[in-house]
Amino acid sequence: MEFPFDLSALFPERISVLDRDMTAGRKSLGRPQTQHQISTVIDELGKASAKAQQLAAPITSTAKLQSNTHHLYLLKEGERNSGRGVAVGFLKVGYKKLFLLDQQGAHVETEPLCVLDFFVTENLQRHGHGLELFSYMLQHKRVEPHFSLIESVPQVNNFVVFDGFFRDRSAVQLRKALPRRAEGEIKPYSLTEREVVREEQKALPWPFVRPAHPPLSPPISLPLPFSRSVSVDSSPSRGPLRPGPAPGLFRSQSPHSQYLENMSSRARRTSSLNRSQISFN
């Protein structure tokens, strides 16, 4: 990939290692123009990689590199483009905390070194540049690779993991994921929850809730309008008079008391009828 500036001066080494500091050598320190050119190379390579992998958005950019602890290995050829050099490709790696599935389907928690992005320019592929990037990365990270990997273990994420990854327990630190904590025993309501329930009960309409305190006056006991003990000269008995409310107090009439007063009115109207018409033998 060609750029309108001199890549050979921008990246002094054939393979430059970039991190969040965005420095490819001492020549780029303290130079805003140099930092801008480095950002342009990284962003353009990231877009080309996303296009080649048919991704919706680039996963490699200057902003992403500066916000993580990843390492980007950039390969350039200084002899091309009239000596100004071209960007051949890059390899980005970093440690990721993953929950993987082993051969038996058990969850394993690990934090291995992962290949996060990899790209070689189309017209420079099949020339061993990818192997050169990987070999330099392994040497820089002091990591020994696994060889002769054939069978891969299916994962729920986008990472490819081979069975040899789980066999060599000395190369990677693995541990079984902790089981879910058992549910605790059910505790009784706290005082606060009891108060909330009590307030909700107060808000319920009659007769779904019983008053918290006894009524101020005893209920009126009324006989049935027509009783077998009623004679011609008899009248329905009246209950004791209810004392009036104390001075300064106000009591609203509840549906229950209104019902009792309606019954009392009916009883009085019944007694005013012609008593000669009411007779039981």
Side-chain angles (χ1 to χ4, degrees):
M1 182 178 293
E2 298 181 358
F3 291 90
F5 41 82
D6 192 354
L7 290 181
S8 297
L10 190 64
F11 303 104
E13 305 294 336
R14 179 174 173 81
I15 298 180
S16 300
V17 183
L18 300 172
D19 54 13
R20 61 172 56 184
D21 295 332
M22 299 293 296
T23 57
R26 296 181 179 180
K27 294 183 180 181
S28 62
L29 293 176
R31 297 182 180 181
Q33 183 179 2
T34 303
Q35 294 292 324
H36 176 71
Q37 293 175 352
I38 293 177
S39 299
T40 302
V41 175
I42 294 175
D43 293 340
E44 292 301 321
L45 287 174
K47 294 177 183 178
S49 177
K51 182 180 179 180
Q53 301 179 63
Q54 298 181 355
L55 302 178
I59 57 178
T60 297
S61 64
T62 302
K64 293 180 181 296
L65 187 62
Q66 290 177 335
S67 60
N68 293 280
T69 57
H70 303 156
H71 281 101
L72 187 145
Y73 300 86
L74 192 146
L75 174 63
K76 61 96 177 180
E77 281 192 352
E79 295 79 13
R80 293 176 178 267
N81 193 18
S82 302
R84 292 186 300 180
V86 295
V88 177
F90 73 95
L91 173 66
K92 186 177 72 172
V93 299
Y95 289 93
K96 298 284 290 186
K97 186 174 183 180
L98 302 175
F99 290 90
L100 304 176
L101 298 175
D102 60 8
Q103 298 92 328
Q104 288 73 33
H107 289 274
V108 177
E109 180 183 354
T110 182
E111 192 171 359
L113 180 65
C114 303
V115 175
L116 304 176
D117 201 359
F118 170 59
F119 172 74
V120 174
T121 306
E122 288 81 355
N123 59 344
L124 295 177
Q125 294 179 1
R126 307 295 180 180
H127 290 77
H129 297 307
L131 179 60
E132 184 179 359
L133 279 170
F134 269 89
S135 300
Y136 188 92
M137 180 271 298
L138 295 174
Q139 183 179 4
H140 179 261
K141 289 291 187 180
R142 298 181 180 179
V143 177
E144 295 183 1
H146 296 269
F147 295 98
S148 302
L149 301 177
I150 301 176
E151 298 293 335
S152 62
V153 181
Q155 303 295 326
V156 296
N157 49 32
N158 294 327
F159 288 88
V160 179
V161 181
F162 290 90
D163 54 356
F165 178 84
F166 299 100
R167 288 199 304 265
D168 191 358
R169 297 302 177 95
S170 61
V172 291
Q173 295 181 357
L174 304 176
R175 63 170 180 170
K176 297 292 183 179
L178 297 178
R180 294 183 59 183
R181 185 171 55 183
E183 298 289 343
E185 60 180 1
I186 300 177
K187 298 181 180 180
Y189 286 147
S190 62
L191 295 178
T192 304
E193 292 172 340
R194 293 177 184 175
E195 291 295 332
V196 173
V197 174
R198 191 176 293 111
E199 291 296 328
E200 292 179 352
Q201 291 180 350
K202 290 181 181 179
L204 293 175
W206 182 88
F208 299 100
V209 62
R210 186 173 298 175
H213 302 285
L216 299 179
S217 60
I220 299 176
S221 58
L222 294 177
L224 294 174
F226 304 98
S227 174
R228 296 187 62 88
S229 63
V230 178
S231 62
V232 175
D233 296 329
S234 65
S235 62
S237 60
R238 298 180 181 179
L241 297 177
R242 288 182 293 176
L249 297 180
F250 176 78
R251 182 181 60 189
S252 61
Q253 189 176 23
S254 64
H256 183 65
S257 60
Q258 184 177 1
Y259 171 79
L260 295 179
E261 291 207 45
N262 293 338
M263 292 294 296
S264 178
S265 298
R266 291 184 59 186
R268 287 196 297 270
R269 288 196 302 269
T270 303
S271 63
S272 63
L273 296 175
N274 190 357
R275 298 177 181 177
S276 61
Q277 296 177 358
I278 304 176
S279 176
F280 294 93
N281 295 327

